[in-house]
Amino acid sequence: MLTAIISLLFWLVVIPFCIGLIPVNFISPRRRTPGLLFLAGYFCMWALFALAAIPAVLWVEYDNFKVASAVFTVLSILCAILGLVLWYRNRASGEESLLGVRTRNDIGVIMRAGLKNLLKSMLRADRIEWLLFFLLLGFQLYKAAAFTSFDGDDAYYVVESLLAQEADTMYRILPYTGGSTGLDVRHVLAVFPMWVAFVSVKAGIHATIVSHVVMPFVLIPLPYLLYYEMGKNLLGVEKTGEPKKSAASGKLLHRENLPVFMIIMAMFQIFGNVSIYTNETFFLTRTWQGKAVAGSLVIPAVLWLFLLLCEERGQEKRADAGLWLLFVCVQMTAGICSSIAVFLVSILTALTAFVLMITKKDFRLLLRFGAACIPNVIYMGIYVVMGYSYLLQ
């Protein structure tokens, strides 16, 4: 049991944290927060898994899960080491040489400052609101783990994870009958269940338990972490925690609005089960499924990064390379979650970039966001070729 817990902490906390140091080292110090670091780590980690698993599914017939797991393990550890090296290099040099800005704000200082600001806010006038939010979050986690929901899709997604864990193969066995089968065009590129299987193998825990018990404790807090970062941007709360004036109205934006925003988001999730098809229903009852992650995490992350990439920065002309890298990783994460999510995210990116190009009168924005969608274009090209080949059979 202790070994399983240590393994889960390593692959679900330590590895994402270290991988997240790579893009964060290329992001302005004023933007760095603990939340951004963990979100960046998970999106980069999932992008690495796409690079390891999708080619293995398509071109390795036997033991393809074993191949994908080995490649992903090597890539993850190498990227984690690279993140630590970049952090140590900047800290040892006493300046952010990667950014071209002299500063003593290394990652460790920023992490401590972010946690200190959060604790300070919870000890002041808005502590009741933050306490209420964490009670709502704890209620959701308790319900998700203790009263886990089962639905018909478990017969496919969870069993696919279990088959990968037990038979070392991905999408080569039909989960409904146990017989061998060809590649399923609809699901074969959405390898999120294989990542769940990877975590299960590393922890030595049954894939069903990981899906229904472990994953909610990861995939429910992550969207709230994203909403927190979005709320800070929308409500004008700086990294220092001090309120600033709204650019539109000139009125002071109070930091007390942030916990209220988080409470409202939590209430939407709890009472959003007005249909079996709503995002809120998937968020709490099908948390471990890729389409739930796409709706609750990936698509909001695209909007969040649009806010960061296009916000007014006064005299600061340099673009944040780390944010563009993170944007590409979010696009790639959509592919491992759901094939339709790739199409939706690409359309959202294209429409938003087109509107921004017109409003900001900058054609380069369209080119930049278009370049960030190149992995999605390749993904959709593979999907079309597979679908065409399937129709010819």
Side-chain angles (χ1 to χ4, degrees):
M1 186 65 180
L2 180 60
T3 304
I5 294 175
I6 293 175
S7 181
L8 288 174
L9 291 175
F10 179 76
W11 287 103
L12 298 178
V13 178
V14 176
I15 288 295
F17 177 88
C18 295
I19 294 177
L21 291 171
I22 298 177
V24 167
N25 269 283
F26 294 90
I27 295 176
S28 301
R30 69 181 184 86
R31 294 181 185 271
R32 296 175 184 170
T33 63
L36 188 147
L37 176 58
F38 271 102
L39 288 168
Y42 265 95
F43 283 122
C44 292
M45 180 182 66
W46 284 329
L48 289 175
F49 190 77
L51 293 176
I54 292 178
V57 170
L58 296 177
W59 296 308
V60 180
E61 185 172 359
Y62 300 106
D63 295 332
N64 51 13
F65 177 71
K66 185 181 295 185
V67 173
S69 297
V71 173
F72 177 64
T73 300
V74 173
L75 289 177
S76 298
I77 293 177
L78 289 178
C79 288
I81 294 173
L82 176 60
L84 291 173
V85 169
L86 291 174
W87 167 67
Y88 179 78
R89 174 188 173 186
N90 293 336
R91 183 182 183 187
S93 63
E95 63 181 60
E96 293 293 344
S97 56
L98 294 173
L99 299 170
V101 179
R102 296 188 65 85
T103 176
R104 295 281 178 176
N105 290 334
D106 62 77
I107 303 296
V109 172
I110 291 165
M111 287 287 293
R112 291 192 296 271
L115 294 174
K116 181 180 178 181
N117 288 331
L118 178 60
L119 292 175
K120 284 174 62 178
S121 70
M122 294 178 64
L123 293 175
R124 295 196 297 191
D126 51 354
R127 61 185 181 275
I128 301 299
E129 288 86 353
W130 278 117
L131 178 60
L132 178 57
F133 164 71
F134 282 112
L135 287 175
L136 292 173
L137 175 59
F139 173 76
Q140 293 178 46
L141 292 174
Y142 168 71
K143 284 292 187 179
F147 298 90
T148 184
S149 172
F150 293 88
D151 60 78
D153 280 348
D154 282 1
Y156 189 90
Y157 296 107
V158 176
V159 175
E160 283 288 9
S161 299
L162 181 59
L163 287 171
Q165 181 183 19
E166 298 292 337
D168 285 326
T169 186
M170 299 184 292
Y171 296 113
R172 297 287 180 172
I173 300 176
L174 189 63
Y176 301 127
T177 63
S180 60
T181 183
L183 294 178
D184 182 1
V185 178
R186 178 184 172 189
H187 300 99
V188 70
L189 298 181
V191 292
F192 193 84
M194 302 302 108
W195 176 73
V196 176
F198 174 84
V199 175
S200 304
V201 170
K202 293 300 182 182
I205 304 175
H206 197 282
T208 306
I209 298 175
V210 171
S211 297
H212 286 269
V213 179
V214 177
M215 284 296 119
F217 284 95
V218 176
L219 300 177
I220 290 178
L222 274 179
Y224 282 115
L225 194 58
L226 175 62
Y227 302 152
Y228 175 76
E229 294 297 325
M230 292 181 70
K232 288 196 301 182
N233 190 275
L234 293 172
L235 300 174
V237 179
E238 300 284 3
K239 188 180 72 174
T240 59
E242 297 300 325
K244 69 178 183 179
K245 289 186 178 181
S246 168
S249 63
K251 296 181 179 179
L252 196 64
L253 295 169
H254 297 287
R255 60 178 297 109
E256 286 79 6
N257 291 336
L258 187 55
V260 174
F261 170 77
M262 296 299 294
I263 291 171
I264 292 174
M265 295 303 299
M267 296 298 286
F268 273 137
Q269 300 292 1
I270 292 175
F271 293 101
N273 185 27
V274 296
S275 165
I276 62 172
Y277 302 109
T278 64
N279 177 64
E280 293 82 5
T281 300
F282 276 74
F283 176 72
L284 291 179
T285 65
R286 303 187 185 190
T287 312
W288 50 91
Q289 296 179 12
K291 47 193 172 183
V293 177
S296 61
L297 187 61
V298 176
I299 294 177
V302 173
L303 300 176
W304 169 55
L305 287 172
F306 268 115
L307 291 173
L308 294 180
L309 288 167
C310 300
E311 78 170 351
E312 298 295 334
R313 289 175 284 180
Q315 300 299 319
E316 185 182 350
K317 301 297 183 181
R318 178 189 48 77
D320 279 313
L323 289 177
W324 287 104
L325 173 61
L326 180 55
F327 191 81
V328 173
C329 290
V330 170
Q331 301 282 324
M332 295 177 66
T333 301
I336 76 167
C337 292
S338 171
S339 298
I340 192 63
V342 175
F343 177 77
L344 295 175
V345 166
S346 300
I347 292 297
L348 174 62
T349 302
L351 291 176
T352 309
F354 182 74
V355 172
L356 287 171
M357 179 193 68
I358 295 175
T359 56
K360 293 183 176 293
K361 299 181 177 61
D362 188 356
F363 182 73
R364 291 174 299 177
L365 283 175
L366 191 62
L367 296 178
R368 290 171 182 171
F369 285 112
C373 290
I374 290 177
N376 286 358
V377 175
I378 297 174
Y379 183 100
M380 288 188 287
I382 296 174
Y383 189 86
V384 169
V385 171
M386 290 184 61
Y388 182 72
S389 301
Y390 178 78
L391 292 176
L392 292 179
Q393 292 178 356

